[in-house]
Amino acid sequence: MASKLDQLKAQTVVVADTGDIDAIAKFTPVDATTNPSLLLKAAQLERYRHFLDEAIQTTRTGDVASAVDQLAVNIGKEILAIIPGRISTEVDARLSYDQEASYQKAHSLIQRYESAGVGRDRVLIKLASTWEGIRAAERLEQDGINTNLTLLFSFEQAVACAEAGVFLISPFVGRILDWYKKAEGVENYPAEKDPGVVSVKRIYDYYKTHAYPTIVMGASFRNTGEIEELAGCDRLTIGPSLLEELDNDFGELPQKLFDQGGSADQRPDRLTEAQFRFGCGQDAMATEKLAEGIRNFVADQIKLEALLLKEANV
């Protein structure tokens, strides 16, 4: 029997949640995704030293934020050389509540990719699923720039993303689980009752019922049980350790999610900003995890900038 990873690839588009070229080459995913945390790890790998050196030189002659953007694009281009699909590159999380700045930063990243010979059809711009991030994504999609809305925890975030016509969403399965384990004092949940799994299934079913084309990509997994319960989801982005575990498991992997077809005729009215903010505010988990996720991405962005400044002796 094929490994569970190979079985999963037959049901779902597998995306590598890493900036490590060696891991990507080993597991042959279709797409790859990065974020400030992964870039910080990648920047300390020897094989990326020449990219780091280039970013250090940019830091000496310009601003460090520009150097980080170029580092992200350089690593993204390197990854694209070995995958057939797309790379997700994230907008600075400090802009999460600034629609215009997020929009402009996204265009800047696309310009850097195009200057490096990479077309926008191979890039997804990652934005936090705040109201402002979703509005920026809506404008970018109209410009022909596809987006990946990340740090998605609530149903309202998912609905607003679909209504905005974003290309792809990344609901964070494992981080939802983390919150509920702590809040409810539960050591663990059966995979099918995992709160993160239940959340993604609800979003997936809603999208398919109302024929929204937005892709659902489960992310931030804590164990292979979560992944197996979402077999059949449009896409799943998985870290190297869990890819390895799936690759070494030769048990049966049944498909769990199916697109039963649906119609756009019965879509509900679009969420207003007030409804979005109220709905998200009523969900303590989503409120806390969104704020925490932005803080953590900002912290790693600052660490990466500090690394460049230190190396550049600025």
Side-chain angles (χ1 to χ4, degrees), residues 197-248:
V197 169
V198 171
S199 176
V200 174
K201 285 183 175 180
R202 181 187 180 193
I203 292 166
Y204 179 89
D205 289 341
Y206 181 84
Y207 278 19
K208 303 314 175 188
T209 297
H210 296 293
Y212 285 111
T214 298
I215 293 166
V216 181
M217 182 173 75
S220 177
F221 292 105
R222 296 293 179 259
N223 55 69
T224 57
E226 292 177 323
I227 296 168
E228 292 181 34
E229 278 300 312
L230 294 175
C233 192
D234 299 328
R235 302 186 189 188
L236 298 174
T237 181
I238 307 169
S241 63
L242 294 179
L243 287 171
E244 181 85 44
E245 195 172 330
L246 289 167
D247 199 35
N248 292 327

Side-chain angles (χ1 to χ4, degrees), residues 102-142:
S102 293
Y103 175 79
Q104 295 298 338
K105 175 67 79 172
H107 269 281
S108 172
L109 288 168
I110 290 295
Q111 288 171 4
R112 289 180 186 275
Y113 270 112
E114 290 179 338
S115 295
V118 176
R120 62 182 59 188
D121 61 319
R122 298 205 66 197
V123 180
L124 294 179
I125 295 295
K126 288 180 75 176
L127 298 148
S129 300
T130 58
W131 179 260
E132 295 79 8
I134 295 168
R135 298 282 69 80
E138 186 170 31
R139 294 168 62 191
L140 291 166
E141 294 288 349
Q142 292 167 359

Side-chain angles (χ1 to χ4, degrees), residues 17 33 35 90 126 129 148-154 157 169-178 194-197 199-200 203 217-222 226 237 285 289 293-294 297:
D17 193 11
T33 183
N35 59 44
E90 191 147 347
K126 288 180 75 176
S129 300
N148 171 353
L149 273 289
T150 187
L151 295 176
L152 192 148
F153 301 100
S154 75
Q157 286 174 298
I169 62 167
S170 301
F172 275 26
V173 179
R175 297 193 195 187
I176 294 174
L177 171 65
D178 294 343
D194 181 306
V197 169
S199 176
V200 174
I203 292 166
M217 182 173 75
S220 177
F221 292 105
R222 296 293 179 259
E226 292 177 323
T237 181
M285 176 276 297
K289 298 307 287 186
I294 291 172
F297 280 162

Side-chain angles (χ1 to χ4, degrees), residues 57-93:
Q57 291 302 318
T58 303
T59 301
R60 290 189 178 121
T61 58
D63 68 282
V64 69
S66 176
V68 170
D69 286 349
Q70 193 59 50
L71 177 65
V73 169
N74 287 345
I75 291 177
K77 182 182 178 182
E78 187 86 348
I79 291 171
L80 285 172
I82 60 170
I83 62 171
R86 299 185 183 224
I87 183 72
S88 287
T89 298
E90 191 147 347
V91 164
D92 188 334

Side-chain angles (χ1 to χ4, degrees), residues 14-19 23-24 29-34 236-239 243:
V14 173
V15 178
D17 193 11
T18 180
I24 293 169
V30 173
D31 294 342
T33 183
T34 62
L236 298 174
T237 181
I238 307 169
L243 287 171

